[in-house]
Amino acid sequence: MKIYFITGSQFLYGEETLKQVEADSIKMVEFINAKISRADVIYKGMVKTESEATKFVKEINYDDDCVGMMVWCHTFSPAKMWINGLKILQKPMLHLHTQFNRELPYDEIDMDFMNLNQSAHGDREFAYVLTRLGVPRVSVAGYYQDEDVISEISAWVDVAIGVDCSKKVKVCRFGDNMREVAVTDGDKVEAQIKLGWQIDYYGIGDIVQEIGKVTDEETDALYNEIVSEYELNTPDVESVKEQVKYEIALKRFLDKNNYTALTTNFQDLHGLKQLFGMSIQRLMAEGYGFGAEGDWKIAALGTAFKKMAEGREGATFFMEDYTYDLVKGKELVLGSHMLEVCPTAASTKPKIEVHPLGIGDREPPARLVFDGIEGEGVAVCLVDMGTHLRLICAEIELVKQPKPMPKLPIARIMWKLKPDFKTGAKAWLQAGGAHHTVVSTALNASDIELYAKLNGLEFVHIK
Ligand code: MN
């Protein structure tokens, strides 16, 4: 992944000044690049003319490895020359408002120094045009070597990588949406226009056929790997191996067809002995987005957000608001799903268990059971309002479950709504929020807001 860095200047101050602008920019980019781990920050050049600005933006747009553009104006730089370029910019942008020098050289300062170091002046000119054109971007202000500045740049890089991943999401849907459910459905054409998501349907027979091709040797090999990773808490080895077969087949099918997300539907299980349980859980842990009951929106969002959060502390996973503890003043949400909870959300070593399941009318499926992680987080959903797509982000606090739940045969997470249960729940209901979410303790509301901005989505923030 690459980020291109461009410095704005102009010819007014002469060749010597331009040489200095270039030398300082290269040093600055070297420093920033050494601090940013997820992308190479590369100095692209100086913009002094309209044609340079347009040429750079075109090259950035067409470079598939480039996820974003950073701009800083060392000198004053007349910004009309940027208009044509910025109008066609298709990559996320960061405007770095900084200076090559930290301190003013009070004893030495003269007009040459003033003319060379005037981002206070030039960046305002540049930002005016950005705002006037409505270019979505992050503005970072401060000395470029400061930790807070580097961490703001780094957070933007994460979101830029997430946005790049999001544009390329391909969702594989086994079966359609659950019958009659409203919020999990939506306009797939609009999603592709707005977000770039390719959302394809397959009959369940396609995956049943793939499962049929998995050999016992392959199954045994992965089974041995899996039981060494978790605690095997069932004598029913055959049921666990059935689920292992599903995992091999699903992964093979997705990878063969370049899918990065998937959905299933328990109303469409022809030819399957079990519902997909542990198989889906383990795929989610590998980074595939998942949506139950055909929910392609949350599946695609899961892929993008997992990518965005890569390398950060915390976890990012598919969730469902299930039931409440409504003790006055201590209200908690118990989140889970009938099987599919991502093991990256585990605070305890997952146990492989096999239990009967009333839904779907199949043999008892194997699943991973665990308690959930704690920490500050966000719960995010995407809903189709008919006229537009709305991204809703609620700030939450994931907490330790107050008591063990020995009879609950599924993984579970618990959290508090913000600012309090009543306000948070009412706001979510009024916004038309879904029951499926992506919960993350690695991402925060500003990451999600920027993702919304860069994709032209309406953003609702509950905090
Ligand atoms: Mn569900």
Side-chain angles (χ1 to χ4, degrees):
M1 298 294 181
K2 290 188 243 170
I3 301 287
Y4 283 121
F5 187 105
I6 299 173
T7 305
S9 192
Q10 63 172 332
F11 289 114
L12 187 68
Y13 316 107
E15 275 306 311
E16 279 309 302
T17 302
L18 288 180
K19 273 186 199 155
Q20 199 56 51
V21 167
E22 186 114 279
D24 292 350
S25 298
I26 290 166
K27 274 189 203 155
M28 187 185 282
V29 172
E30 273 171 6
F31 182 90
I32 294 169
N33 186 43
K35 298 279 181 183
I36 301 294
S37 54
R38 290 188 73 190
D40 290 326
V41 184
I42 299 162
Y43 177 61
K44 179 99 184 134
M46 229 187 308
V47 161
K48 306 168 293 301
T49 61
E50 190 274 344
S51 61
E52 283 171 336
T54 307
K55 179 176 167 279
F56 284 163
V57 172
K58 279 183 184 168
E59 287 170 8
I60 285 168
N61 282 344
Y62 278 76
D63 187 337
D64 285 341
D65 298 327
C66 170
V67 295
M69 172 173 101
M70 284 170 74
V71 178
W72 163 63
C73 298
H74 196 329
T75 66
F76 188 77
S77 181
K80 279 185 188 170
M81 66 186 173
W82 274 96
I83 291 173
N84 286 333
L86 290 172
K87 275 167 72 181
I88 57 168
L89 177 67
Q90 293 168 335
K91 300 280 166 96
M93 157 146 197
L94 182 143
H95 180 199
L96 181 60
H97 185 49
T98 188
Q99 224 166 235
F100 187 68
N101 57 302
R102 184 193 287 276
E103 290 169 28
L104 267 188
Y106 289 95
D107 296 336
E108 303 293 328
I109 187 164
D110 57 12
M111 279 321 287
D112 285 344
F113 183 93
M114 291 285 272
N115 286 331
L116 175 64
N117 300 288
Q118 50 176 325
S119 57
H121 184 186
D123 275 336
R124 281 178 164 77
E125 161 77 1
F126 181 64
Y128 161 72
V129 164
L130 289 174
T131 299
R132 173 121 181 223
L133 292 174
V135 176
R137 84 280 187 184
V138 162
S139 311
V140 175
Y143 191 56
Y144 72 97
Q145 295 188 1
D146 285 347
E147 231 168 80
D148 58 322
V149 168
I150 292 295
S151 84
E152 284 175 50
I153 295 172
S154 177
W156 169 78
V157 170
D158 289 345
V159 178
I161 289 172
V163 166
D164 176 71
C165 166
S166 181
K167 284 187 199 309
K168 297 169 186 161
V169 167
K170 279 183 73 180
V171 186
C172 174
R173 311 179 71 218
F174 294 111
D176 198 358
N177 282 69
M178 182 179 171
R179 284 187 282 279
E180 303 290 355
V181 177
V183 75
T184 53
D185 218 330
D187 184 343
K188 297 192 280 294
V189 176
E190 185 61 20
Q192 186 151 8
I193 292 169
K194 204 89 193 169
L195 294 150
W197 298 348
Q198 184 182 325
I199 304 145
D200 297 334
Y201 164 85
Y202 287 87
I204 195 71
D206 290 314
I207 191 62
V208 169
Q209 203 173 29
E210 195 73 50
I211 292 166
K213 292 183 205 157
V214 178
T215 67
D216 290 345
E217 292 72 37
E218 288 170 329
T219 306
D220 290 345
L222 184 59
Y223 172 83
N224 290 334
E225 210 180 287
I226 289 172
V227 292
S228 70
E229 196 174 329
Y230 312 110
E231 185 188 329
L232 185 64
N233 199 28
T234 173
D236 189 354
V237 169
E238 280 319 300
S239 290
V240 177
K241 284 191 176 174
E242 182 69 12
Q243 203 61 228
V244 173
K245 250 165 53 180
Y246 295 176
E247 178 183 333
I248 295 168
L250 283 168
K251 189 170 163 51
R252 199 166 278 165
F253 191 93
L254 295 173
D255 292 352
K256 191 166 62 184
N257 299 294
N258 297 316
Y259 288 108
T260 48
L262 79 158
T263 70
T264 58
N265 182 350
F266 65 87
Q267 290 171 328
D268 198 349
L269 299 169
H270 308 282
L272 289 172
K273 283 189 187 166
Q274 300 179 13
L275 273 76
F276 296 109
M278 182 175 75
S279 51
I280 297 281
Q281 291 181 286
R282 285 179 36 87
L283 286 176
M284 289 193 278
E286 264 191 62
Y288 297 91
F290 172 73
E293 294 102 44
D295 192 342
W296 50 269
K297 295 197 292 301
I298 214 69
L301 220 51
T303 303
F305 287 178
K306 275 173 176 285
K307 188 73 188 179
M308 201 187 288
E310 238 173 57
R312 290 198 192 178
E313 285 208 14
T316 302
F317 47 89
F318 167 67
M319 238 318 104
E320 179 171 85
D321 300 72
Y322 225 119
T323 190
Y324 288 136
D325 184 348
L326 286 184
V327 174
K328 196 82 182 158
K330 294 180 185 169
E331 293 90 347
L332 293 175
V333 182
L334 171 56
S336 188
H337 208 264
M338 59 190 190
L339 295 166
E340 313 92 330
V341 184
C342 179
T344 59
S347 66
T348 55
K349 188 172 183 177
K351 294 178 184 169
I352 305 171
E353 299 188 2
V354 175
H355 301 280
L357 182 68
I359 292 165
D361 192 25
R362 288 293 182 277
E363 291 175 10
R367 80 288 304 272
L368 297 169
V369 182
F370 52 84
D371 294 347
I373 50 168
E374 298 165 45
E376 294 294 319
V378 287
V380 186
C381 75
L382 181 69
V383 288
D384 186 340
M385 303 310 292
T387 47
H388 62 281
L389 294 164
R390 172 179 288 173
L391 195 71
I392 305 169
C393 172
E395 295 191 21
I396 58 173
E397 185 193 346
L398 285 73
V399 297
K400 190 178 160 64
Q401 61 186 58
K403 290 177 189 174
M405 294 179 248
K407 290 187 177 172
L408 187 67
I410 44 171
R412 73 300 299 259
I413 317 287
M414 294 193 82
W415 65 85
K416 276 185 204 163
L417 297 183
K418 287 187 180 178
D420 55 71
F421 175 77
K422 250 181 199 294
T423 316
K426 284 200 281 188
W428 190 269
L429 298 173
Q430 288 286 328
H435 52 265
H436 286 165
T437 55
V438 175
V439 166
S440 179
T441 57
L443 303 172
N444 57 45
S446 351
D447 300 317
I448 308 301
E449 184 175 11
L450 180 57
Y451 174 85
K453 223 188 208 182
L454 290 169
N455 284 296
L457 303 171
E458 183 190 18
F459 182 68
V460 175
H461 186 184
I462 302 168
K463 57 184 172 174

